[in-house]
Amino acid sequence: MADSAEVIRDRAARKAAIKKEFIKQITNPHRHASGEGGALFDPAVQRYMSMKVTLYDHFKPTVKTSLMGLGLIVLPIIGYGYMMKVQHDAFDHKCRTGQIPYAERKFKFI
Amino acid sequence: MANVTKSVLRLSSLSRLQSLTGTQSVRYGGNWNKDWKPGPYPVTPEEREAAARKYGLRPDEYEPYPDDGLGKGDYPKLPLISADARDPYRDWDFPEHRRDFGEPIQVDYDMHGLDRLDVTSKLRYSLGQQAMAFLGVMTAFFVVYFYLDDKKMHWPVLAKQFPGQEQVHYTFEPAE
């Protein structure tokens, strides 16, 4: 992970400039007067927030995304519903044909 | 009123310096998502350089997410460092996030704050060790339970003694 000295210097210079501007703005007593005041506007945070809410703009239905949607959303819902139906139908049939004695009822400990 | 006007006039020299950080002294319409959201995936080298400059990165360290349907436009791929793993003694601009002003934010930043996930630090016990410890303890519990399930403990007692075992005392026929 060896960055050249020039890269490190360039990065440090950028950071120092931003830091200097930040301290200047944070300690600027006239920010209130202009009507802005409050939390200093950070463009990086704004870009991040806007990215988070506009992710759908870059969504494309491909094979991978379609399989993900089917496998993680559609299949669990339909599969779980089907399993519940099958289980309950078997229990219902047992009840209606009298196969479950009172001593083996479901909630006999409460 | 005059004081406000004077201070606003003095602020005019700020606009040059504020272009560096993108701040603005007077906000007119607020900040809209359409102005700040990531642009489309950069294809040409000029677009890549413009995107790198927009996010404050060098063109050689700028890398967007691949455009495979789950991409994020031209938002850069940044190294994921949890907040917990950052230096607690450095003078951050925002110490509660361990972040500096203007530092570009990784896409999963909200998941790796100080009170949330920490994926960067070296675990005290590796995940394999944790799994083995859990399985070992639970196996021990289950083995002990199922082994002792049919072994009962009670006061030493004899079997109940009924008088006259060989005689039939009563049957259950209905009284006719």
Side-chain angles (χ1 to χ4, degrees), chain A residues 6-7 10-11 14-15 17-19 21-26 28 30-31 33-37 39-55 57-62 64-65 68, chain B residues 4 7 10-11 14 17-18 20-25 27 31 33 36-40 54-58 61 67-73 75 91 93-94 99-107 109-110:
Chain A
E6 193 222 310
V7 168
D10 175 44
R11 228 180 266 157
R14 275 177 208 251
K15 273 197 172 160
I18 293 179
K19 184 100 178 179
E21 184 60 32
F22 169 73
I23 292 185
K24 192 164 182 195
Q25 284 305 317
I26 276 289
N28 178 8
H30 301 297
R31 262 200 316 128
S34 70
E36 195 200 353
L40 188 57
F41 176 74
D42 188 349
V45 171
Q46 179 62 54
R47 266 184 233 113
Y48 174 76
M49 297 294 186
S50 301
M51 180 271 296
K52 276 284 181 183
V53 295
T54 54
L55 280 174
D57 293 351
H58 306 286
F59 174 78
K60 283 198 305 228
T62 66
K64 178 172 158 196
T65 60
M68 275 170 73
Chain B
V4 173
S7 57
R10 232 174 267 136
L11 288 169
L14 267 171
L17 298 164
Q18 283 181 348
L20 186 72
T21 55
T23 56
Q24 40 188 4
S25 293
R27 283 160 47 185
N31 299 294
N33 277 335
W36 293 99
K37 67 178 188 179
K54 177 170 84 166
Y55 290 107
L57 298 171
R58 296 167 50 85
E61 65 187 17
D67 191 23
D68 60 351
L70 295 168
K72 294 142 182 56
Y75 204 82
D91 66 333
D93 294 338
F94 305 114
R99 188 186 153 261
D100 281 322
F101 178 83
E103 181 186 324
I105 302 178
Q106 209 263 354
V107 279
Y109 167 77
D110 48 353

